[in-house]
């Protein structure tokens, strides 16, 4: 039957075309072509009355079935296309937008300052040593020739734990451990935490960091000390920095000095940071007292040496222009990020 054959062909073509529909407007085109007012199937349905009586019923039945089938196929395809279209819209990435910077961690400014100090001394042939923070009186005081009546031994100036234990008040204790362990030559720096029961304010903390230095060999002199320290100061603060040594007293060194650098803020003219005198004290130093050598079993007639100790927070405050030491320990990420 001719009309039924035509329906079969329409069906095949419709199937082919709908499979190729990749977007909604093309689907609309297919719908119009078959089911629209002048669509192929619509036309057949409209011209049913022109068919011979024997065919009318069968063709009408098939054509209506096909109409229902086409409508269902179109709706099903539309739903699928709408879904993919919505998904691509959502996933659309605008590659021209500024990226989201991943947040990388950084080293703490105090750790960073210690690393810089370490690197300078490593380049001068020093190695790094560490020692205990919980210490005995012997290592923190006795072996370093700090007498019983010295104020730093007072309970108000040191954290005592049980019995003879205390929290070290400086990193000089590591000098004693290193010399006990090894014979000269010794050339070490010793970074670490130290503790003092100071009331916390803008320039004091009950815990801070020091880097200690020690060099022992035959014939080490004060000029070696001065040379190493001046290289350190220039590497740390810039080539134009000036350094001066002021006579001072430390029990574990003789002679001893405090070491100043020209103020890095006002370059020596005098400002608030240097209290108007143009100099900033950054470390203590001297030639190792023979009594310290005796305490560790070194022969003071054979060896000489120098030692020095510096406060890391003080140096970091100068380098970064930080006016309050507490900022280093509050772990406020807004502060830490500014210094990284
Ligand atoms: N231990 C001293 C302090 O905590 C710093 C110091 C001064 C260390 C002179 C030294 C030195 O090795 O020679 O204040």
């Amino acid at each position: 039957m001719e009309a039924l054959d035509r329906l079969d062909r329409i069906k095949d073509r419709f199937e082919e075309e709908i499979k190729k529909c990749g977007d909604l407007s093309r689907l609309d085109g297919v719908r119009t072509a078959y089911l629209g007012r002048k669509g192929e199937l619509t036309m057949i349905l409209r011209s049913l009355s022109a068919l011979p009586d024997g065919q009318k019923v069968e063709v009408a039945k098939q054509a209506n079935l096909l109409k229902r089938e086409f409508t269902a196929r179109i709706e099903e395809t539309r739903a699928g296309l709408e879904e993919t279209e919505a998904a691509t819209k959502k996933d659309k990435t605008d590659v021209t937008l500024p990226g989201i910077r991943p947040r990388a961690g950084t080293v703490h400014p105090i750790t960073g300052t210690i690393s810089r100090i370490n690197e300078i001394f490593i380049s001068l042939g020093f190695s790094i040593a560490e020692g205990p923070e919980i210490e005995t009186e012997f290592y923190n005081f006795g072996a370093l020739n700090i007498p019983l009546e010295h104020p730093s031994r007072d309970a108000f100036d040191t954290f005592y734990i049980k019995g003879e234990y205390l929290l070290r008040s400086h990193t000089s204790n590591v000098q004693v451990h290193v010399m006990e362990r090894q014979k000269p030559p010794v050339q070490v720096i010793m970074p670490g935490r130290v503790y003092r029961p100071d009331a916390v304010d803008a320039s004091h903390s009950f815990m801070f960091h020091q880097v200690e230095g020690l060099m022992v060999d035959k014939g080490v002199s004060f000029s070696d000390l001065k040379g190493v320290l001046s290289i350190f100061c220039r590497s740390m603060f810039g080539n134009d920095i000036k350094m001066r040594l002021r006579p001072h007293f430390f029990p574990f060194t003789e002679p001893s000095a405090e070491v100043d650098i020209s103020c890095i803020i006002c370059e020596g003219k005098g400002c608030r940071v240097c209290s108007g005198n143009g100099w900033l004290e950054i470390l203590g130093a001297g030639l190792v007292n023979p009594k310290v050598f005796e305490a560790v079993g070194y022969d003071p007639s054979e060896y000489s040496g120098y030692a020095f100790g510096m406060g890391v927070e003080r140096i970091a405050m100068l380098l970064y222009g930080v006016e309050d030491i507490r900022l280093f320990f509050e772990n406020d990420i807004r502060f830490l990020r500014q210094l990284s």
Side-chain angles (χ1 to χ4, degrees):
M1 204 189 294
E2 198 200 323
L4 287 180
D5 286 348
R6 233 179 112 200
L7 284 178
D8 273 347
R9 283 199 302 274
I10 290 179
K11 186 181 169 177
D12 289 347
R13 240 187 307 116
F14 174 85
E15 261 315 314
E16 236 169 73
E17 282 180 37
I18 202 150
K19 268 191 208 134
K20 287 192 207 139
C21 280
D23 56 62
L24 288 169
S25 69
R26 188 146 176 203
L27 182 69
D28 249 358
V30 173
R31 196 191 56 80
T32 316
Y34 292 89
L35 302 176
R37 236 158 35 86
K38 290 188 176 150
E40 272 189 78
L41 195 58
T42 315
M43 297 309 268
I44 291 180
L45 283 162
R46 272 203 204 150
S47 55
L48 285 176
S49 53
L51 287 175
D53 278 351
Q55 295 184 13
K56 254 184 215 159
V57 177
E58 185 58 18
V59 174
K61 191 175 150 204
Q62 290 305 327
N64 276 309
L65 272 179
L66 216 50
K67 185 176 175 182
R68 233 179 290 152
E69 196 184 315
F70 283 10
T71 312
R73 277 289 280 140
I74 286 169
E75 281 324 302
E76 170 195 323
T77 310
R78 185 191 305 282
L81 285 173
E82 272 170 359
E83 209 169 282
T84 21
E85 226 156 80
T88 28
K89 225 177 242 165
K90 206 161 64 187
D91 279 359
K92 223 170 230 170
T93 308
D94 182 351
V95 292
T96 64
L97 283 175
I100 300 164
R101 192 185 288 265
R103 243 177 222 170
T106 53
V107 292
H108 190 279
I110 294 300
T111 312
T113 306
I114 292 175
S115 301
R116 279 180 67 177
I117 297 170
N118 287 351
E119 271 163 33
I120 295 168
F121 285 106
I122 285 168
S123 77
L124 293 169
F126 286 74
S127 29
I128 297 174
E130 287 187 333
E133 291 173 26
I134 297 173
E135 196 47 291
T136 62
E137 291 217 42
F138 173 75
Y139 288 101
N140 198 75
F141 297 126
L144 291 163
N145 191 38
I146 300 175
L148 268 176
E149 66 274 14
H150 194 278
S152 67
R153 285 210 179 194
D154 197 280
F156 295 107
D157 287 321
T158 300
F159 283 113
Y160 284 91
I161 313 174
K162 270 198 214 109
E164 55 171 348
Y165 291 105
L166 48 87
L167 294 182
R168 68 175 174 195
S169 58
H170 52 186
T171 44
S172 307
N173 69 324
V174 192
Q175 290 190 29
V176 183
H177 289 286
V178 169
M179 288 191 281
E180 275 185 346
R181 273 202 303 263
Q182 121 187 36
K183 292 274 156 256
V186 170
Q187 197 182 1
V188 284
I189 50 163
M190 299 150 272
R193 287 197 188 97
V194 303
Y195 304 85
R196 291 179 196 176
D198 288 336
V200 176
D201 62 27
S203 51
H204 294 86
S205 168
F206 54 84
M207 184 283 296
F208 56 99
H209 298 75
Q210 290 186 331
V211 176
E212 189 86 9
L214 176 69
M215 163 83 177
V216 184
D217 203 350
K218 289 181 178 151
V220 174
S221 71
F222 209 96
S223 67
D224 295 320
L225 170 65
K226 201 175 166 188
V228 161
L229 290 181
S230 71
I231 291 173
F232 166 73
C233 290
R234 273 186 275 137
S235 311
M236 199 71 192
F237 300 104
N239 270 335
D240 295 334
I241 212 80
K242 288 200 221 36
M243 181 185 88
R244 76 173 183 188
L245 279 70
R246 265 180 303 107
H248 197 77
F249 173 78
F250 295 106
F252 30 88
T253 44
E254 176 60 29
S256 308
E258 276 191 331
V259 179
D260 299 339
I261 53 166
S262 51
C263 180
I264 57 174
I265 311 292
C266 64
E267 291 169 356
K269 289 183 208 72
C271 68
R272 202 163 53 91
V273 174
C274 59
S275 316
N277 65 33
W279 295 93
L280 298 162
E281 187 228 312
I282 57 154
L283 56 90
L287 288 186
V288 180
N289 192 314
K291 293 215 173 116
V292 177
F293 283 153
E294 279 162 17
V296 298
Y298 281 10
D299 180 356
S301 65
E302 197 181 352
Y303 296 110
S304 59
Y306 61 74
F308 55 86
M310 63 186 88
V312 177
E313 279 74 4
R314 170 126 174 98
I315 290 174
M317 286 167 88
L318 292 172
L319 283 178
Y320 294 116
V322 173
E323 294 189 352
D324 193 323
I325 194 171
R326 288 170 289 199
L327 288 165
F328 288 124
F329 306 121
E330 283 168 353
N331 276 336
D332 186 332
I333 237 152
R334 292 167 303 178
F335 167 78
L336 297 173
R337 227 182 259 140
Q338 285 177 51
L339 302 193
S340 61

